[in-house]
């Protein structure tokens, strides 16, 4: 067997092994990419994060009572850290 035939045989074996390996990996984990959480959230996302309605956030904004927010034109965004800080500020200890 010549050098090129040996290389071809080895490459074919490697391709077969890789094919077997890829076939054994579940499709979900092969495509799964780590989900990146955005630093700034929309009102809907922030409401879901806090467990309140988006109407509550709108009311709190108008009354200057809720968490800190950023307004750029008509767009309102909430920082994930600001929401956490606001929740921590409203923590009540059980007696």
């Amino acid at each position: 067997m010549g050098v090129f035939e040996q290389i071809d045989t080895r490459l074919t074996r490697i391709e077969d092994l890789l094919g077997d390996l890829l076939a054994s990996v579940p499709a979900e984990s092969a495509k799964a990419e780590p989900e990146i959480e955005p630093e700034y959230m929309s009102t809907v996302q922030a409401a879901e994060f806090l467990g309140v309605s988006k109407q509550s956030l709108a009311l709190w904004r108008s009354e200057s009572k809720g968490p800190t927010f950023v307004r750029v034109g008509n767009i309102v965004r909430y920082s994930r850290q600001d929401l956490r800080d606001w929740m921590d500020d409203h923590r009540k200890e059980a007696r």
Side-chain angles (χ1 to χ4, degrees):
M1 183 179 280
V3 174
F4 292 114
E5 292 169 333
Q6 289 177 352
I7 292 172
D8 187 50
T9 301
R10 289 179 181 172
L11 286 174
T12 301
R13 179 154 165 69
I14 290 170
E15 288 172 345
D16 290 343
L17 290 172
L18 286 174
D20 292 345
L21 180 63
L22 289 174
S24 69
V25 175
E28 293 174 2
S29 62
K31 295 179 182 177
E33 294 181 18
E35 190 171 316
I36 299 173
E37 295 181 341
E39 175 59 28
Y40 288 92
M41 295 183 263
S42 68
T43 300
V44 172
Q45 292 167 320
E48 185 175 308
F49 181 83
L50 294 173
V52 300
S53 70
K54 63 182 183 175
Q55 291 84 358
S56 291
L57 285 175
L59 178 65
W60 294 341
R61 276 195 313 268
S62 70
E63 296 176 346
S64 299
K65 290 184 177 181
T68 303
F69 63 94
V70 176
R71 183 185 303 273
V72 180
N74 291 332
I75 298 172
V76 174
R77 293 290 183 260
Y78 292 87
S79 161
R80 186 174 297 277
Q81 188 59 52
D82 286 343
L83 294 174
R84 286 188 180 112
D85 291 345
W86 186 78
M87 290 289 286
D88 288 343
D89 291 345
H90 288 81
R91 182 183 301 264
K92 302 285 185 206
E93 294 292 328
R95 295 181 195 220

